[in-house]
Amino acid sequence: MNNVLRIVRRILDGVYAASGVLAAMCLIAILALIVAQMVARWTGEIFPGAANYAGYAMAAASFFAFANALNRGSHIRVSLVLNAVPSSVRWFLEIWCFAIGAAVMWYFTYYAYWFTFWSWKFKEVSQAQDATPLWIPQSVMVIGGGILAIALTDHLVHVIFRGDHRIRRDLVDQSHGE
Amino acid sequence: MEELYAITLFLFVLFLLLGSGVWVGLALMGVAWVGMELFTTRPVGDTMITTIWASSSSWTLTALPLFIWMGEILFRTRLSEDMFRGLSPWLARLPGGLVHTNIVGCTVFAAVSGSSAATLTTVGKMSIPELRARDYPERIVIGTLAGAATLGLMIPPSLALIVYGVTVNESITQLFFAGVFPGLCLALMFMGYVALYSRFSSKWNPIQETGMSFADKLKNSRFLIPVLCLIFVVIGSMYAGYATATEAAAIGVIGALVLAASQGSLNRSTFTESLMGATRTSAMIALILAGAAFLKLAMGFTGLPRALADGIATMELSRFELLMILMVFYIVLGMFLDGISSVVLTMAVVEPMVREAGIDLIWFGIFVVVVVEMAQITPPIGFNLFVLQGMTEHEMGYITRAAFPMFMIMVLMCFVLIWIPDIALWLPENMRQAPGG
């Protein structure tokens, strides 16, 4: 039983890390697209749809990084009450937070899946110059949202059985968002 | 009457979720869902996905991760040492002496970073020990640092202004330029306070600097010149209309990489750290924006923004009175929420109100940023206070008291902005429009 848990743990951590790396690559892709667009403009060429591709990369960079950001404590929450209450109350409060968070994200993922499915089924294509089949970029919502939902559930289970979540805050890391 | 119950329930859920510590972005989505279920018969899930997809795949938003990345790269260079060494010879002779390195240093770093806490860390890392060694009063060292670091949110690039621009659909470039003069003005006011303090305080007795020749001064600050060039290129390219905010950010990232490489502080680990850090921070903000986009839609259906705007209109508040109410409102809100969350959370309601009152949205962006900046240095959750507490090991109360004069100066700045709106509006009105906005 313990072995199984350890393997699950390792797979999950691998998924979070991999999606984080994927998100970082999307960020580099945004940079590359924008530079390409600028260079194209200066040399009198046109790079059709660059803005749209950059937008898709933006969505991908965000959604793939959600779970990674959660695990590193980057996502902002109002911690005033959490810090003020005794640890027994805090345990219930943490369960409540992770349960709500997980519920919201599972709901999101479910609808994102059907949204993407229909856009694949009806072969929806971007109205802009890029003419991308929309289900491809839209699927990042399903994958990224799903991974965040899994991560939240993972922490929820951890809080219930081990008493605490596995989020480690990093003040320096967090300071770049304030 | 039923309407009123629904609105009360909606607001109750909002405060419950946010207050109990659900992550802001997810809380906003949850609240919006409740609002949609209460006030419409639309298919909620599908509406939610359509709205969130549209908002999170927007081209305007791409400036956000790039500017964060640029700040992250420079944060990991030798910039903080260079900053103190390069600025101190020039500022030592001013009344107030080296305390001014705090303020000028923050102003310079604010021009490469969009975040206030990162500005604080970068400048404070070096200036706190150096100023302590020279016997400057601790209180003014900490106070000025806490206050001046908030310039990070005001001087372009500014994360808060990008978020505001995306939320209310105004040009980010224009907002950036609107922030320049108010930011500099605020910096000058901080410096004036330091000068006065040095004159009239009995505790002011730092070790005097020995004079330096002009050549020595230049030699000491030669490392700062590349950074100043980078700032000039990034901001200048936007001002001259060569680049949009996003493109300027891309130039900034490449410039920062070149700068870090030429200093020898760019290696595999700093590159990965800066990239991963930027990815996480931008994901954090993206989640809040996704939630806020959905909430804005739901808010529209509740009729709350309309009712409030009409209410304000019938009360015949003067513009000044409205701004005072909003100022107090944001200061109170800022005690519980961080700056970016309080901007996106309230804009759905505040925007129609402000438009109704005939207030310029660009100007209002700067006003809001000054007000949420104050939140960074007010307890109980001012983020800059936490960072300073970590850096100096003083207790929270002491740091808060040290920062209080800066808070008052920022309040004064709000009045200056109301009194002379052109401080914010002159520059954006006189710049060239970038291709494609």
Side-chain angles (χ1 to χ4, degrees):
Chain A
M1 183 63 191
N2 259 338
N3 262 339
V4 177
L5 281 180
R6 212 168 296 145
I7 292 165
V8 170
R9 172 85 279 133
R10 203 180 292 159
I11 291 174
L12 285 177
D13 284 343
V15 169
Y16 305 145
S19 73
V21 171
L22 205 57
M25 289 195 303
C26 293
L27 184 48
I28 296 178
I30 296 177
L31 179 66
L33 282 164
I34 288 164
V35 170
Q37 189 195 27
M38 263 192 296
V39 171
R41 202 174 63 217
W42 291 334
T43 53
E45 303 275 323
I46 302 169
F47 181 177
N52 301 87
Y53 292 131
Y56 302 146
M58 175 72 210
S62 313
F63 276 94
F64 287 141
F66 280 161
N68 191 287
L70 177 77
N71 292 337
R72 297 288 292 264
S74 297
H75 287 304
I76 286 182
R77 62 199 297 203
V78 180
S79 46
L80 208 62
V81 177
L82 272 173
N83 290 336
V85 294
S87 60
S88 54
V89 182
R90 190 175 167 161
W91 184 69
F92 283 108
L93 210 53
E94 288 282 15
I95 290 177
W96 153 265
C97 287
F98 280 108
I100 297 267
V104 168
M105 275 330 285
W106 282 119
Y107 179 85
F108 177 90
T109 310
Y110 175 80
Y111 279 95
Y113 170 75
W114 284 110
F115 180 72
T116 313
F117 175 80
W118 289 118
S119 110
W120 171 75
K121 189 93 179 163
F122 294 132
K123 299 192 171 50
E124 270 187 61
V125 167
S126 162
Q127 299 296 311
Q129 281 169 314
D130 60 309
T132 314
L134 278 175
W135 68 270
I136 301 174
Q138 280 165 355
S139 59
V140 303
M141 286 199 294
V142 189
I143 301 167
I147 295 174
L148 178 59
I150 293 171
L152 284 160
T153 316
D154 179 5
H155 286 295
L156 175 65
V157 172
H158 210 274
V159 174
I160 294 173
F161 292 105
R162 292 281 163 82
D164 201 9
H165 55 70
R166 301 167 58 245
I167 295 174
R168 295 291 160 259
R169 272 181 77 186
D170 178 351
L171 208 60
V172 174
D173 205 50
Q174 222 175 8
S175 72
H176 288 271
E178 293 270 338
Chain B
M1 208 54 213
E2 207 171 301
E3 194 86 317
L4 196 66
Y5 279 128
I7 285 190
T8 319
L9 182 62
F10 177 70
L11 290 178
F12 172 75
V13 174
L14 176 70
F15 289 119
L16 178 72
L17 290 189
L18 278 177
S20 63
V22 178
W23 293 267
V24 175
L26 300 176
L28 299 190
M29 278 187 220
V31 176
W33 180 84
V34 172
M36 295 288 283
E37 288 290 349
L38 282 172
F39 291 94
T40 67
T41 48
R42 288 182 165 216
V44 182
D46 300 321
T47 321
M48 167 171 167
I49 302 296
T50 321
T51 318
I52 289 180
W53 171 247
S55 86
S56 47
S57 62
S58 107
W59 142 261
T60 350
L61 211 56
T62 50
L64 192 71
L66 293 179
F67 274 125
I68 297 172
W69 192 11
M70 170 182 171
E72 286 262 7
I73 296 165
L74 291 171
F75 178 76
R76 292 182 165 78
T77 59
R78 269 200 350 236
L79 191 58
S80 56
E81 291 114 83
D82 292 347
M83 193 86 88
F84 188 82
R85 224 156 53 118
L87 290 175
S88 55
W90 304 97
L91 299 167
R93 288 306 177 84
L94 293 177
L98 292 184
V99 176
H100 292 300
T101 52
N102 266 347
I103 299 163
V104 179
C106 285
T107 314
V108 173
F109 195 76
V112 293
S113 161
S115 119
S116 137
T119 305
L120 176 61
T121 325
T122 314
V123 176
K125 198 159 57 181
M126 207 58 204
S127 75
I128 292 176
E130 294 279 353
L131 291 176
R132 273 181 179 167
R134 288 173 176 77
D135 244 358
Y136 280 92
E138 181 82 6
R139 202 171 176 136
I140 191 103
V141 173
I142 291 176
T144 51
L145 198 54
T150 60
L151 291 171
L153 282 180
M154 181 116 132
I155 292 179
S158 153
L159 300 189
L161 283 177
I162 298 178
V163 167
Y164 175 85
V166 170
T167 319
V168 303
N169 264 324
E170 291 285 340
S171 152
I172 288 166
T173 320
Q174 293 217 339
L175 281 166
F176 275 3
F177 283 103
V180 173
F181 282 138
L184 293 177
C185 181
L186 194 53
L188 281 177
M189 280 156 80
F190 288 143
M191 288 174 82
Y193 171 76
V194 171
L196 286 177
Y197 185 92
S198 73
R199 272 294 140 78
F200 296 110
S201 168
S202 54
K203 284 182 224 143
W204 185 268
N205 193 20
I207 297 163
Q208 278 300 318
E209 292 295 300
T210 46
M212 253 191 209
S213 72
F214 188 72
D216 279 342
K217 285 183 186 174
L218 269 188
K219 210 173 140 201
N220 259 319
S221 49
R222 67 182 185 282
F223 296 115
L224 268 187
I225 294 167
V227 178
L228 295 178
C229 289
L230 181 61
I231 295 172
F232 182 78
V233 171
V234 169
I235 294 183
S237 65
M238 279 190 280
Y239 189 74
Y242 286 124
T244 59
T246 307
E247 290 167 346
I251 297 172
V253 171
I254 291 172
L257 284 171
V258 170
L259 207 119
S262 67
Q263 276 190 355
S265 45
L266 184 69
N267 53 39
R268 224 187 128 135
S269 88
T270 52
F271 179 80
T272 331
E273 274 172 34
S274 69
L275 180 60
M276 291 311 293
T279 312
R280 277 194 292 270
T281 304
S282 110
M284 177 274 280
I285 297 176
L287 185 60
I288 297 177
L289 283 174
F294 185 35
L295 182 67
K296 188 175 177 175
L297 187 82
M299 274 285 191
F301 286 115
T302 64
L304 202 59
R306 200 63 260 149
L308 269 175
D310 291 345
I312 296 283
T314 50
M315 276 161 79
E316 288 181 7
L317 288 176
S318 70
R319 204 178 287 187
F320 182 75
E321 285 163 334
L322 175 63
L323 287 171
M324 284 304 106
I325 293 173
L326 287 175
M327 183 165 108
V328 174
F329 170 70
Y330 276 108
I331 291 176
V332 173
L333 191 66
M335 290 180 178
F336 308 100
L337 267 179
D338 66 289
I340 288 173
S341 307
S342 48
V343 169
V344 295
L345 174 64
T346 53
M347 265 317 138
V349 177
V350 172
E351 189 193 339
M353 211 191 283
V354 169
R355 282 193 199 273
E356 182 82 41
I359 296 169
D360 188 297
L361 263 276
I362 299 275
W363 179 88
F364 187 71
I366 305 303
F367 180 80
V368 161
V369 166
V370 179
V371 184
V372 299
E373 267 180 43
M374 295 179 196
Q376 297 274 13
I377 57 170
T378 46
I381 65 143
F383 196 82
N384 284 7
L385 301 178
F386 280 124
V387 175
L388 266 174
Q389 191 182 29
M391 286 169 85
T392 63
E393 283 159 12
H394 282 296
E395 54 176 315
M396 206 60 143
Y398 180 87
I399 301 172
T400 310
R401 281 195 300 278
F404 187 70
M406 306 302 136
F407 178 80
M408 291 315 291
I409 291 175
M410 286 154 87
V411 174
L412 185 65
M413 182 67 213
C414 286
F415 288 107
V416 173
L417 261 180
I418 295 172
W419 188 37
I420 323 174
D422 271 342
I423 301 182
L425 291 177
W426 187 81
L427 204 54
E429 275 164 13
N430 285 284
M431 59 178 255
R432 288 183 46 193
Q433 201 58 42

